[in-house]
Amino acid sequence: MIDKLLSKSKPGDIEVSKENSIWMYKNINRCLNAIRDNNKIIGFTFVVPANKKLMNLFIKKEITEKELFNQIKKTVNYKNFDALYLCATVVNPKYRNKGLATKAFLKTIKQIAKNKKVTLFYWGYSKEGKIMAKKKASLLNSKLIKRIE
């Protein structure tokens, strides 16, 4: 499942590396949510805490996703974020269109943001991704900003 996602990565995307994985585990481990069917992992969602300054640079294509992530690693944590990057959703095709990814995202966002009002932003690759982002923002009553194509 993850192989399909990684095979679609392009220059400028967040690097899937041991270094980044270790940083994520140590610093933002609550941001990755596995979607399960009993004990079998059938997908995951991933959000990244950010700030509005970095969000705006990314939205306007002034920085790449990789640069966004590298700046987040240096400056953002669970205490000082005011935006969340809806980074990735992967769900086994047999389990799609059941609301599982939306439910996983909502759980993660509520756990991380608690009562904080945050802006959500995303880079929609697919029609489904755009629909899901809008649905999450609506359910959370949050502002949603899309990266320019």
Side-chain angles (χ1 to χ4, degrees):
M1 186 179 329
I2 192 79
D3 296 339
K4 287 183 181 178
L5 178 68
L6 298 179
S7 68
K8 294 180 182 179
S9 66
K10 301 176 282 307
D13 287 356
I14 294 174
E15 287 181 22
V16 178
S17 66
K18 184 176 181 179
E19 176 189 326
N20 281 344
S21 296
I22 290 169
W23 183 87
M24 287 186 276
Y25 180 75
K26 288 182 177 179
N27 296 282
I28 59 170
N29 60 351
R30 292 181 284 168
C31 294
L32 182 65
N33 190 347
I35 303 169
R36 300 177 194 276
D37 181 13
N38 293 316
N39 291 329
K40 179 182 176 185
I41 294 178
I42 57 164
F44 69 89
T45 59
F46 182 49
V47 299
V48 182
N51 60 46
K52 289 179 183 170
K53 178 182 175 189
L54 292 174
M55 174 192 74
N56 286 322
L57 292 171
F58 178 70
I59 293 299
K60 295 175 185 173
K61 291 188 170 183
E62 293 177 19
I63 60 174
T64 65
E65 186 183 56
K66 179 180 177 180
E67 292 166 326
L68 170 70
F69 190 69
N70 288 336
Q71 288 300 312
I72 286 169
K73 286 174 22 179
K74 295 175 189 172
T75 62
V76 181
N77 59 51
Y78 284 133
K79 294 178 184 171
N80 68 0
F81 73 96
D82 58 4
L84 285 171
Y85 177 37
L86 307 176
C87 185
T89 306
V90 176
V91 178
N92 181 310
K94 293 191 297 188
Y95 294 88
R96 290 184 184 160
N97 300 313
K98 299 180 187 305
L100 299 172
T102 297
K103 193 181 297 183
F105 262 122
L106 292 175
K107 179 181 175 185
T108 302
I109 292 166
K110 287 177 181 178
Q111 179 184 21
I112 295 167
K114 299 193 181 354
N115 295 322
K116 188 184 284 193
K117 189 74 171 168
V118 296
T119 300
L120 305 177
F121 66 107
Y122 74 106
W123 185 10
Y125 284 82
S126 66
K127 178 182 169 186
E128 295 86 357
K130 293 172 189 174
I131 291 169
M132 190 184 333
K134 289 178 183 176
K135 185 174 184 179
K136 286 179 278 223
S138 175
L139 289 168
L140 293 165
N141 196 26
S142 294
K143 184 175 182 179
L144 177 69
I145 302 175
K146 179 180 184 274
R147 180 176 163 111
I148 304 164
E149 294 293 324

